[in-house]
């Protein structure tokens, strides 16, 4: 097995974890490579030959390891593209909804993977198509449409399977996957979906009409969004700006054919993660401290 290690160099705590892990892989004679952006932070001459351009990580690897938080894992998934390479998330962030192991568990996780004692969980990917894009755009958490002008509402027409749903007047609109239901959509009062659901969430951000609530639809349906009033909007995929949108520009969003494959080691269930990361059952006074 060969690992491709994608490192978030913005996290200072990553390198005290990465360097010993690289040496452990060498001791076990396991092939690996690391994205070249991290090379400047590793001064050990013995490790310099293992750094490669980021785009070479996925093609040369059997499994991708993400060293960072949820955002790093999403970036790693973009590197994997539609290859469906399994991804193990190592949490060096804060929440870590998507990551599977903490740094203290990394050695044990490596032994499990070498022994083949792991499963792969298939997560939905969303696809967006528009004349504004040269090719389809993919998202694992969410697509977001917001107005470019600060503190201004946007009016967006939404159709589902070519049937008019609603014209939302709001700060923006989130289209979320089940995986992304615990991300931006959750902070906008959206529902939490279990990852295995075949569904999408349509969630207005701070709607002008309070009865406009988040809506869950089948992932087999196609959503079309279009700025309705003259305005300038921006379209984001997993937090990355993909296009400027103007009046009458439209985007069709549906379930993609490929999936993101996350390595699961059987340590915790989705409900365990919810209780832990969202502090369910904790005294609110302790959480505030």
């Amino acid at each position: 097995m060969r690992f491709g290690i994608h490192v978030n160099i913005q996290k200072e705590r990553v390198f005290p974890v990465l360097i010993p892990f690289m040496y452990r892989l060498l001791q076990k004679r396991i092939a690996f490579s690391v994205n070249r952006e991290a090379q400047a932070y590793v001064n050990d001459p013995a490790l310099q030959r293992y750094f490669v351009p980021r785009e070479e990580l996925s093609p040369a690897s059997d499994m991708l390891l993400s060293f960072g938080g949820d955002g790093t894992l999403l970036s790693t998934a973009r590197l994997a593209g539609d290859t469906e390479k399994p991804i193990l998330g190592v949490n060096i962030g804060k929440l870590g909804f998507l990551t599977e192991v903490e740094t203290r568990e990394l050695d044990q996780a490596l032994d499990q993977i070498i022994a083949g004692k792991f499963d792969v969980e298939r997560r939905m990917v969303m696809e967006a198509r528009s004349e504004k894009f040269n090719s389809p755009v993919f998202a694992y958490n969410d697509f977001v449409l917001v107005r470019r002008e600060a503190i201004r509402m946007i009016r967006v027409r939404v159709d589902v399977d070519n049937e008019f749903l609603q014209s939302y007047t709001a700060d923006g609109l989130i289209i979320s996957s089940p995986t992304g239901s615990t991300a931006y959509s959750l902070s906008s009062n959206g529902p939490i979906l279990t990852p295995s659901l075949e569904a999408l969430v349509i969630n207005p951000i701070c709607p002008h009409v309070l009865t406009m609530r988040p809506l869950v639809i089948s992932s087999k349906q196609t959503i079309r969004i279009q700025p309705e009033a003259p305005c300038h909007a921006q379209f984001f995929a997993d937090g990355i700006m993909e296009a400027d949108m103007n009046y009458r520009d439209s985007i069709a969003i549906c379930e993609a054919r490929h999936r993101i494959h996350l390595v699961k080691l059987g340590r915790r269930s989705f409900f365990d993660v919810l209780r832990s990361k969202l502090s369910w059952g904790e005294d609110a006074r302790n959480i505030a401290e």
Side-chain angles (χ1 to χ4, degrees), residues 1 3 25 28 30 109-118:
M1 177 174 288
F3 293 125
L25 293 178
K28 290 182 173 292
I30 298 173
L110 177 61
D111 292 338
Q112 277 189 249
I113 292 171
I114 293 172
K117 297 180 179 179
F118 66 91

Side-chain angles (χ1 to χ4, degrees), residues 151-212:
I151 321 177
R152 293 289 301 275
M153 288 198 198
I154 184 173
R155 186 171 177 85
V156 186
R157 175 188 172 108
V158 178
D159 294 86
V160 178
D161 285 346
N162 296 317
E163 180 180 353
F164 175 65
L165 169 64
Q166 183 56 271
S167 289
Y168 292 96
T169 301
D171 285 354
L173 187 69
I174 303 169
I175 308 297
S176 168
S177 70
T179 296
S181 69
T182 54
Y184 191 9
S185 181
L186 178 61
S187 69
S188 297
N189 296 315
I192 295 176
L193 307 185
T194 56
S196 59
L197 281 179
E198 298 291 323
L200 298 172
V201 180
I202 302 172
N203 191 1
I205 305 170
C206 298
H208 182 64
V209 178
L210 297 182
T211 53
M212 290 183 175

Side-chain angles (χ1 to χ4, degrees), residues 32-52:
F32 69 93
S33 53
V34 183
N35 57 302
R36 183 159 288 165
E37 293 86 348
Q39 187 172 10
Y41 300 86
V42 179
N43 296 322
D44 194 327
L47 300 178
Q48 297 303 305
R49 60 188 292 262
Y50 297 99
F51 294 92
V52 301

Side-chain angles (χ1 to χ4, degrees), residues 218-235:
S218 168
S219 64
K220 306 306 177 187
Q221 296 178 286
T222 298
I223 303 166
R224 184 173 293 278
I225 62 176
Q226 177 182 343
E228 197 167 40
C231 68
H232 298 288
Q234 292 179 319
F235 183 73

Side-chain angles (χ1 to χ4, degrees), residues 64-96:
L64 293 168
L65 275 59
S66 170
F67 278 57
D70 287 343
T72 311
L73 193 145
L74 294 176
S75 296
T76 306
R78 282 191 287 274
L79 292 177
D82 61 359
T83 65
E84 299 190 340
K85 295 283 180 73
I87 301 170
L88 175 68
V90 181
N91 185 32
I92 310 180
K94 294 181 179 178
L95 281 177

